mmCIF file of all heavy atoms in Angstrom:
data_model
loop_
_atom_site.group_PDB
_atom_site.id
_atom_site.type_symbol
_atom_site.label_atom_id
_atom_site.label_comp_id
_atom_site.label_asym_id
_atom_site.label_seq_id
_atom_site.Cartn_x
_atom_site.Cartn_y
_atom_site.Cartn_z
ATOM 1 N N ALA A 195 -76.306 64.748 -82.228
ATOM 2 C CA ALA A 195 -77.348 64.874 -83.247
ATOM 3 C C ALA A 195 -78.274 63.676 -83.119
ATOM 4 O O ALA A 195 -77.815 62.530 -83.087
ATOM 5 C CB ALA A 195 -76.745 64.921 -84.640
ATOM 6 N N GLN A 196 -79.572 63.932 -83.009
ATOM 7 C CA GLN A 196 -80.553 62.858 -82.994
ATOM 8 C C GLN A 196 -81.198 62.845 -84.375
ATOM 9 O O GLN A 196 -81.840 63.823 -84.781
ATOM 10 C CB GLN A 196 -81.588 63.097 -81.898
ATOM 11 C CG GLN A 196 -82.344 61.846 -81.503
ATOM 12 C CD GLN A 196 -83.142 62.050 -80.237
ATOM 13 O OE1 GLN A 196 -84.155 62.736 -80.264
ATOM 14 N NE2 GLN A 196 -82.711 61.462 -79.132
ATOM 15 N N VAL A 197 -81.023 61.743 -85.094
ATOM 16 C CA VAL A 197 -81.400 61.700 -86.505
ATOM 17 C C VAL A 197 -82.384 60.560 -86.752
ATOM 18 O O VAL A 197 -82.111 59.406 -86.418
ATOM 19 C CB VAL A 197 -80.155 61.506 -87.403
ATOM 20 C CG1 VAL A 197 -80.538 61.666 -88.870
ATOM 21 C CG2 VAL A 197 -79.054 62.485 -87.029
ATOM 22 N N ASP A 198 -83.537 60.884 -87.341
ATOM 23 C CA ASP A 198 -84.481 59.888 -87.848
ATOM 24 C C ASP A 198 -84.252 59.779 -89.352
ATOM 25 O O ASP A 198 -84.267 60.796 -90.055
ATOM 26 C CB ASP A 198 -85.920 60.311 -87.566
ATOM 27 C CG ASP A 198 -86.230 60.372 -86.073
ATOM 28 O OD1 ASP A 198 -85.636 59.571 -85.341
ATOM 29 O OD2 ASP A 198 -87.044 61.212 -85.661
ATOM 30 N N PHE A 199 -84.057 58.548 -89.834
ATOM 31 C CA PHE A 199 -83.716 58.384 -91.249
ATOM 32 C C PHE A 199 -84.390 57.138 -91.820
ATOM 33 O O PHE A 199 -84.644 56.164 -91.098
ATOM 34 C CB PHE A 199 -82.196 58.303 -91.429
ATOM 35 C CG PHE A 199 -81.544 57.151 -90.698
ATOM 36 C CD1 PHE A 199 -81.195 55.984 -91.367
ATOM 37 C CD2 PHE A 199 -81.275 57.234 -89.340
ATOM 38 C CE1 PHE A 199 -80.602 54.927 -90.708
ATOM 39 C CE2 PHE A 199 -80.678 56.183 -88.663
ATOM 40 C CZ PHE A 199 -80.342 55.025 -89.341
ATOM 41 N N PRO A 200 -84.697 57.148 -93.113
ATOM 42 C CA PRO A 200 -85.373 56.004 -93.743
ATOM 43 C C PRO A 200 -84.396 54.873 -94.041
ATOM 44 O O PRO A 200 -83.172 55.034 -93.933
ATOM 45 C CB PRO A 200 -85.929 56.611 -95.033
ATOM 46 C CG PRO A 200 -84.968 57.708 -95.361
ATOM 47 C CD PRO A 200 -84.513 58.266 -94.043
ATOM 48 N N ALA A 201 -84.950 53.735 -94.422
ATOM 49 C CA ALA A 201 -84.122 52.560 -94.704
ATOM 50 C C ALA A 201 -83.179 52.795 -95.872
ATOM 51 O O ALA A 201 -82.120 52.156 -95.972
ATOM 52 C CB ALA A 201 -85.019 51.354 -94.981
ATOM 53 N N ALA A 202 -83.565 53.699 -96.786
ATOM 54 C CA ALA A 202 -82.724 53.955 -97.964
ATOM 55 C C ALA A 202 -81.440 54.690 -97.613
ATOM 56 O O ALA A 202 -80.516 54.771 -98.434
ATOM 57 C CB ALA A 202 -83.515 54.769 -98.994
ATOM 58 N N VAL A 203 -81.367 55.225 -96.407
ATOM 59 C CA VAL A 203 -80.184 55.972 -95.967
ATOM 60 C C VAL A 203 -79.496 55.174 -94.869
ATOM 61 O O VAL A 203 -80.143 54.642 -93.970
ATOM 62 C CB VAL A 203 -80.580 57.365 -95.431
ATOM 63 C CG1 VAL A 203 -79.350 58.117 -94.935
ATOM 64 C CG2 VAL A 203 -81.299 58.161 -96.512
ATOM 65 N N SER A 204 -78.181 55.077 -94.946
ATOM 66 C CA SER A 204 -77.419 54.350 -93.929
ATOM 67 C C SER A 204 -76.765 55.326 -92.961
ATOM 68 O O SER A 204 -76.662 56.532 -93.232
ATOM 69 C CB SER A 204 -76.336 53.487 -94.580
ATOM 70 O OG SER A 204 -75.339 54.308 -95.173
ATOM 71 N N VAL A 205 -76.325 54.792 -91.816
ATOM 72 C CA VAL A 205 -75.616 55.609 -90.835
ATOM 73 C C VAL A 205 -74.335 56.162 -91.446
ATOM 74 O O VAL A 205 -73.945 57.308 -91.195
ATOM 75 C CB VAL A 205 -75.295 54.783 -89.567
ATOM 76 C CG1 VAL A 205 -74.443 55.603 -88.602
ATOM 77 C CG2 VAL A 205 -76.573 54.328 -88.884
ATOM 78 N N GLU A 206 -73.688 55.339 -92.288
ATOM 79 C CA GLU A 206 -72.465 55.799 -92.959
ATOM 80 C C GLU A 206 -72.756 57.002 -93.852
ATOM 81 O O GLU A 206 -71.929 57.924 -93.957
ATOM 82 C CB GLU A 206 -71.855 54.665 -93.782
ATOM 83 C CG GLU A 206 -71.228 53.536 -92.960
ATOM 84 C CD GLU A 206 -72.272 52.651 -92.291
ATOM 85 O OE1 GLU A 206 -73.443 52.672 -92.732
ATOM 86 O OE2 GLU A 206 -71.922 51.947 -91.323
ATOM 87 N N ASP A 207 -73.939 57.004 -94.489
ATOM 88 C CA ASP A 207 -74.318 58.155 -95.323
ATOM 89 C C ASP A 207 -74.442 59.414 -94.469
ATOM 90 O O ASP A 207 -74.008 60.501 -94.865
ATOM 91 C CB ASP A 207 -75.647 57.886 -96.033
ATOM 92 C CG ASP A 207 -75.543 56.763 -97.052
ATOM 93 O OD1 ASP A 207 -74.431 56.538 -97.560
ATOM 94 O OD2 ASP A 207 -76.580 56.121 -97.332
ATOM 95 N N LEU A 208 -75.048 59.268 -93.292
ATOM 96 C CA LEU A 208 -75.235 60.414 -92.402
ATOM 97 C C LEU A 208 -73.883 60.953 -91.925
ATOM 98 O O LEU A 208 -73.669 62.166 -91.877
ATOM 99 C CB LEU A 208 -76.088 60.011 -91.195
ATOM 100 C CG LEU A 208 -77.518 59.545 -91.504
ATOM 101 C CD1 LEU A 208 -78.192 59.039 -90.236
ATOM 102 C CD2 LEU A 208 -78.332 60.667 -92.123
ATOM 103 N N VAL A 209 -72.989 60.025 -91.582
ATOM 104 C CA VAL A 209 -71.640 60.432 -91.156
ATOM 105 C C VAL A 209 -70.946 61.191 -92.285
ATOM 106 O O VAL A 209 -70.290 62.209 -92.066
ATOM 107 C CB VAL A 209 -70.809 59.208 -90.730
ATOM 108 C CG1 VAL A 209 -69.350 59.595 -90.504
ATOM 109 C CG2 VAL A 209 -71.388 58.581 -89.462
ATOM 110 N N GLY A 210 -71.121 60.695 -93.520
ATOM 111 C CA GLY A 210 -70.512 61.355 -94.668
ATOM 112 C C GLY A 210 -71.040 62.762 -94.871
ATOM 113 O O GLY A 210 -70.282 63.678 -95.226
ATOM 114 N N VAL A 211 -72.351 62.954 -94.642
ATOM 115 C CA VAL A 211 -72.943 64.290 -94.789
ATOM 116 C C VAL A 211 -72.342 65.250 -93.774
ATOM 117 O O VAL A 211 -71.994 66.388 -94.102
ATOM 118 C CB VAL A 211 -74.483 64.206 -94.618
ATOM 119 C CG1 VAL A 211 -75.080 65.610 -94.519
ATOM 120 C CG2 VAL A 211 -75.105 63.446 -95.769
ATOM 121 N N VAL A 212 -72.212 64.786 -92.531
ATOM 122 C CA VAL A 212 -71.635 65.632 -91.486
ATOM 123 C C VAL A 212 -70.184 65.975 -91.822
ATOM 124 O O VAL A 212 -69.750 67.124 -91.685
ATOM 125 C CB VAL A 212 -71.725 64.941 -90.113
ATOM 126 C CG1 VAL A 212 -71.021 65.776 -89.042
ATOM 127 C CG2 VAL A 212 -73.177 64.703 -89.719
ATOM 128 N N GLU A 213 -69.430 64.975 -92.282
ATOM 129 C CA GLU A 213 -68.025 65.216 -92.613
ATOM 130 C C GLU A 213 -67.886 66.156 -93.803
ATOM 131 O O GLU A 213 -66.933 66.930 -93.876
ATOM 132 C CB GLU A 213 -67.329 63.879 -92.888
ATOM 133 C CG GLU A 213 -67.153 63.039 -91.613
ATOM 134 C CD GLU A 213 -66.528 61.694 -91.883
ATOM 135 O OE1 GLU A 213 -66.489 61.288 -93.075
ATOM 136 O OE2 GLU A 213 -66.083 61.023 -90.911
ATOM 137 N N SER A 214 -68.850 66.093 -94.719
ATOM 138 C CA SER A 214 -68.789 67.002 -95.877
ATOM 139 C C SER A 214 -69.007 68.450 -95.456
ATOM 140 O O SER A 214 -68.632 69.373 -96.174
ATOM 141 C CB SER A 214 -69.841 66.606 -96.919
ATOM 142 O OG SER A 214 -71.152 66.894 -96.451
ATOM 143 N N ALA A 215 -69.632 68.635 -94.290
ATOM 144 C CA ALA A 215 -69.832 69.986 -93.770
ATOM 145 C C ALA A 215 -68.621 70.468 -92.983
ATOM 146 O O ALA A 215 -68.600 71.606 -92.506
ATOM 147 C CB ALA A 215 -71.077 70.022 -92.880
ATOM 148 N N GLY A 216 -67.626 69.572 -92.809
ATOM 149 C CA GLY A 216 -66.403 69.955 -92.122
ATOM 150 C C GLY A 216 -66.329 69.541 -90.670
ATOM 151 O O GLY A 216 -65.482 70.032 -89.924
ATOM 152 N N TYR A 217 -67.205 68.610 -90.262
ATOM 153 C CA TYR A 217 -67.220 68.166 -88.866
ATOM 154 C C TYR A 217 -67.084 66.650 -88.826
ATOM 155 O O TYR A 217 -67.074 65.985 -89.856
ATOM 156 C CB TYR A 217 -68.521 68.613 -88.182
ATOM 157 C CG TYR A 217 -68.743 70.104 -88.289
ATOM 158 C CD1 TYR A 217 -69.465 70.637 -89.361
ATOM 159 C CD2 TYR A 217 -68.205 70.980 -87.357
ATOM 160 C CE1 TYR A 217 -69.644 72.006 -89.493
ATOM 161 C CE2 TYR A 217 -68.387 72.350 -87.466
ATOM 162 C CZ TYR A 217 -69.102 72.864 -88.541
ATOM 163 O OH TYR A 217 -69.259 74.211 -88.663
ATOM 164 N N THR A 218 -66.990 66.096 -87.621
ATOM 165 C CA THR A 218 -66.895 64.644 -87.478
ATOM 166 C C THR A 218 -68.174 64.120 -86.839
ATOM 167 O O THR A 218 -68.876 64.847 -86.127
ATOM 168 C CB THR A 218 -65.693 64.243 -86.607
ATOM 169 O OG1 THR A 218 -65.871 64.772 -85.275
ATOM 170 C CG2 THR A 218 -64.397 64.784 -87.205
ATOM 171 N N ALA A 219 -68.457 62.833 -87.073
ATOM 172 C CA ALA A 219 -69.649 62.207 -86.498
ATOM 173 C C ALA A 219 -69.349 60.751 -86.197
ATOM 174 O O ALA A 219 -68.698 60.063 -86.991
ATOM 175 C CB ALA A 219 -70.828 62.304 -87.466
ATOM 176 N N GLN A 220 -69.813 60.294 -85.046
ATOM 177 C CA GLN A 220 -69.671 58.897 -84.652
ATOM 178 C C GLN A 220 -70.643 58.611 -83.519
ATOM 179 O O GLN A 220 -71.117 59.541 -82.857
ATOM 180 C CB GLN A 220 -68.243 58.606 -84.199
ATOM 181 C CG GLN A 220 -67.792 59.440 -83.003
ATOM 182 C CD GLN A 220 -66.340 59.180 -82.633
ATOM 183 O OE1 GLN A 220 -65.686 58.331 -83.192
ATOM 184 N NE2 GLN A 220 -65.841 59.929 -81.660
ATOM 185 N N PRO A 221 -70.973 57.330 -83.288
ATOM 186 C CA PRO A 221 -71.837 57.009 -82.149
ATOM 187 C C PRO A 221 -71.187 57.492 -80.859
ATOM 188 O O PRO A 221 -69.965 57.411 -80.709
ATOM 189 C CB PRO A 221 -71.925 55.474 -82.184
ATOM 190 C CG PRO A 221 -71.625 55.129 -83.604
ATOM 191 C CD PRO A 221 -70.642 56.147 -84.088
ATOM 192 N N PRO A 222 -71.992 58.013 -79.908
ATOM 193 C CA PRO A 222 -71.407 58.545 -78.664
ATOM 194 C C PRO A 222 -70.670 57.472 -77.881
ATOM 195 O O PRO A 222 -71.090 56.316 -77.834
ATOM 196 C CB PRO A 222 -72.636 59.038 -77.876
ATOM 197 C CG PRO A 222 -73.727 59.145 -78.875
ATOM 198 C CD PRO A 222 -73.436 58.136 -79.939
ATOM 199 N N LYS A 223 -69.566 57.868 -77.281
ATOM 200 C CA LYS A 223 -68.819 56.943 -76.439
ATOM 201 C C LYS A 223 -69.432 56.915 -75.047
ATOM 202 O O LYS A 223 -69.946 57.918 -74.562
ATOM 203 C CB LYS A 223 -67.342 57.367 -76.371
ATOM 204 C CG LYS A 223 -66.650 57.248 -77.718
ATOM 205 C CD LYS A 223 -65.173 57.487 -77.594
ATOM 206 C CE LYS A 223 -64.478 57.263 -78.947
ATOM 207 N NZ LYS A 223 -63.034 57.460 -78.871
ATOM 208 N N PRO A 224 -69.381 55.769 -74.357
ATOM 209 C CA PRO A 224 -70.025 55.662 -73.051
ATOM 210 C C PRO A 224 -69.350 56.438 -71.945
ATOM 211 O O PRO A 224 -69.896 56.616 -70.902
ATOM 212 C CB PRO A 224 -69.966 54.155 -72.753
ATOM 213 C CG PRO A 224 -68.808 53.651 -73.556
ATOM 214 C CD PRO A 224 -68.767 54.489 -74.791
ATOM 215 N N ASP A 225 -68.125 56.885 -72.162
ATOM 216 C CA ASP A 225 -67.450 57.638 -71.106
ATOM 217 C C ASP A 225 -67.006 58.973 -71.644
ATOM 218 O O ASP A 225 -67.186 59.294 -72.791
ATOM 219 C CB ASP A 225 -66.240 56.863 -70.552
ATOM 220 C CG ASP A 225 -65.283 56.445 -71.648
ATOM 221 O OD1 ASP A 225 -64.907 57.326 -72.449
ATOM 222 O OD2 ASP A 225 -64.913 55.257 -71.710
ATOM 223 N N ALA A 226 -66.431 59.769 -70.751
ATOM 224 C CA ALA A 226 -66.054 61.138 -71.103
ATOM 225 C C ALA A 226 -64.554 61.289 -71.272
ATOM 226 O O ALA A 226 -64.026 62.379 -71.198
ATOM 227 C CB ALA A 226 -66.563 62.108 -70.025
ATOM 228 N N ASP A 227 -63.848 60.172 -71.546
ATOM 229 C CA ASP A 227 -62.387 60.246 -71.627
ATOM 230 C C ASP A 227 -61.938 61.209 -72.713
ATOM 231 O O ASP A 227 -61.031 61.997 -72.540
ATOM 232 C CB ASP A 227 -61.807 58.851 -71.897
ATOM 233 C CG ASP A 227 -61.952 57.944 -70.675
ATOM 234 O OD1 ASP A 227 -62.221 58.486 -69.584
ATOM 235 O OD2 ASP A 227 -61.809 56.723 -70.824
ATOM 236 N N GLU A 228 -62.614 61.109 -73.886
ATOM 237 C CA GLU A 228 -62.199 61.961 -74.999
ATOM 238 C C GLU A 228 -62.463 63.427 -74.675
ATOM 239 O O GLU A 228 -61.640 64.302 -74.953
ATOM 240 C CB GLU A 228 -62.964 61.558 -76.265
ATOM 241 C CG GLU A 228 -62.509 62.333 -77.495
ATOM 242 C CD GLU A 228 -63.186 61.840 -78.768
ATOM 243 O OE1 GLU A 228 -63.818 60.782 -78.727
ATOM 244 O OE2 GLU A 228 -63.068 62.527 -79.784
ATOM 245 N N ASP A 229 -63.642 63.709 -74.064
ATOM 246 C CA ASP A 229 -63.947 65.070 -73.685
ATOM 247 C C ASP A 229 -62.922 65.592 -72.687
ATOM 248 O O ASP A 229 -62.505 66.739 -72.746
ATOM 249 C CB ASP A 229 -65.343 65.137 -73.056
ATOM 250 C CG ASP A 229 -66.436 64.881 -74.080
ATOM 251 O OD1 ASP A 229 -66.156 65.097 -75.264
ATOM 252 O OD2 ASP A 229 -67.535 64.467 -73.698
ATOM 253 N N THR A 230 -62.525 64.728 -71.751
ATOM 254 C CA THR A 230 -61.526 65.121 -70.764
ATOM 255 C C THR A 230 -60.211 65.458 -71.440
ATOM 256 O O THR A 230 -59.542 66.429 -71.090
ATOM 257 C CB THR A 230 -61.331 63.985 -69.746
ATOM 258 O OG1 THR A 230 -62.598 63.651 -69.176
ATOM 259 C CG2 THR A 230 -60.384 64.407 -68.644
#
Side-chain angles (χ1 to χ4, degrees):
Q196 200 168 73
V197 188
D198 295 328
F199 60 100
V203 178
S204 68
V205 175
E206 289 73 19
D207 294 334
L208 298 174
V209 171
V211 170
V212 175
E213 290 177 345
S214 70
Y217 305 91
T218 63
Q220 60 183 355
K223 294 188 176 181
D225 54 51
D227 290 345
E228 184 175 348
D229 291 337
T230 305

